[in-house]
């Protein structure tokens, strides 16, 4: 059964980008040290990635301008811009919750929620995220784009794994279902 997985990094004080949207700070204590490559083990169970326009734009303009780094995945970019579809990249103005519900009805591997904060917060409000894989970067930004916003209901999680490398702490939580 497919799962919806948030795989994201945040600062120690809960920001996924600085006040200008920058992610230059996404490194461990020693920028020259080898980090455990948790991404490679994570992505082997994923075939779909969802992100907003700002995250997409940052990937193609800053992080990987020469190639689409998610070419092995079907990518859904949530935007109101009218951009033609390609074979592996789908631009859509669907509500993120509706899109996730639709994708969960199809066979496949896990669905990765890559960003941004607004999409993540909408999915949290509907309790649609099964796994929270959060890498805490040893940096305090003080302001920026906050990962967690206000939600109406409490979300109960269960810690299933932690690991640390180069000062980066990976926290993996699964959604807990409360008795009715």
């Amino acid at each position: 059964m497919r799962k919806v997985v948030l795989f994201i990094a945040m600062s120690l004080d809960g920001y996924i980008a600085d006040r200008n949207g920058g992610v230059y700070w996404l490194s461990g204590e020693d920028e020259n040290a080898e980090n455990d490559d948790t991404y490679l083990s994570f992505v082997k169970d994923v075939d779909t990635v969802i992100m907003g326009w700002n995250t997409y734009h940052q990937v193609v303009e800053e992080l990987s301008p020469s190639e689409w780094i998610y070419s092995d995945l079907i990518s859904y970019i949530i935007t109101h811009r009218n951009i033609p579809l390609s074979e592996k990249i789908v631009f859509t103005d669907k509500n993120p919750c509706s899109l996730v519900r639709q994708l969960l009805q199809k066979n496949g591997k896990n669905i990765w929620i890559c960003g941004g904060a607004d999409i993540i917060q909408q999915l949290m409000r509907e309790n649609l995220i099964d796994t929270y894989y959060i890498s805490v970067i040893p940096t305090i930004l003080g302001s920026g784009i906050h990962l967690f916003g206000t939600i109406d209901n409490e979300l109960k999680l269960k810690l299933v794994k932690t690991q640390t490398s180069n000062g980066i702490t990976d926290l993996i939580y699964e959604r807990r279902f409360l008795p009715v």
Side-chain angles (χ1 to χ4, degrees):
M1 182 168 172
R2 297 182 99 172
K3 287 187 173 185
V4 178
V5 181
L6 172 64
F7 182 90
I8 199 161
M10 73 175 189
S11 65
L12 184 61
D13 53 346
Y15 297 100
I16 58 173
D18 70 13
R19 68 179 57 105
N20 298 314
V23 293
Y24 62 88
W25 51 272
L26 288 175
S27 61
E29 297 166 340
D30 180 356
E31 292 184 18
N32 298 318
E34 288 279 327
N35 290 323
D36 288 345
D37 197 347
T38 56
Y39 173 77
L40 288 178
S41 61
F42 161 76
V43 79
K44 69 179 174 43
D45 294 324
V46 171
D47 66 2
T48 304
V49 60
I50 297 174
M51 67 186 75
W53 173 260
N54 290 339
T55 303
Y56 168 78
H57 189 259
Q58 188 171 54
V59 169
V60 297
E61 293 294 322
E62 297 173 39
L63 302 177
S64 182
S66 60
E67 68 175 313
W68 181 241
I69 56 175
Y70 305 124
S71 61
D72 293 341
L73 308 173
I74 301 297
S75 301
Y76 288 87
I77 314 306
I78 298 176
T79 180
H80 293 292
R81 292 170 174 80
N82 190 8
I83 301 172
L85 309 177
S86 72
E87 183 181 332
K88 291 282 196 158
I89 303 175
V90 178
F91 296 93
T92 180
D93 63 357
K94 279 190 176 192
N95 171 288
C97 298
S98 298
L99 175 61
V100 165
R101 285 186 181 102
Q102 176 186 15
L103 293 171
L104 285 171
Q105 300 303 311
K106 297 179 181 180
N107 289 330
K109 294 182 177 181
N110 291 340
I111 301 164
W112 171 21
I113 308 304
C114 182
D118 184 55
I119 291 169
I120 294 164
Q121 291 167 16
Q122 288 179 60
L123 294 170
M124 287 177 62
R125 283 186 203 105
E126 298 282 329
N127 201 16
L128 288 172
I129 300 173
D130 298 300
T131 305
Y132 292 76
Y133 194 123
I134 301 172
S135 296
V136 180
I137 308 298
T139 300
I140 296 174
L141 291 175
S143 67
I145 300 172
H146 218 275
L147 174 57
F148 301 113
T150 303
I151 59 172
D152 296 330
N153 300 331
E154 183 177 289
L155 298 177
K156 296 284 191 182
L157 306 174
K158 177 183 179 182
L159 181 65
V160 294
K161 185 176 181 184
T162 63
Q163 59 192 37
T164 303
S165 174
N166 194 21
I168 299 171
T169 301
D170 296 319
L171 303 168
I172 305 171
Y173 291 93
E174 294 284 335
R175 176 174 51 169
R176 276 192 292 160
F177 291 97
L178 299 174
V180 181

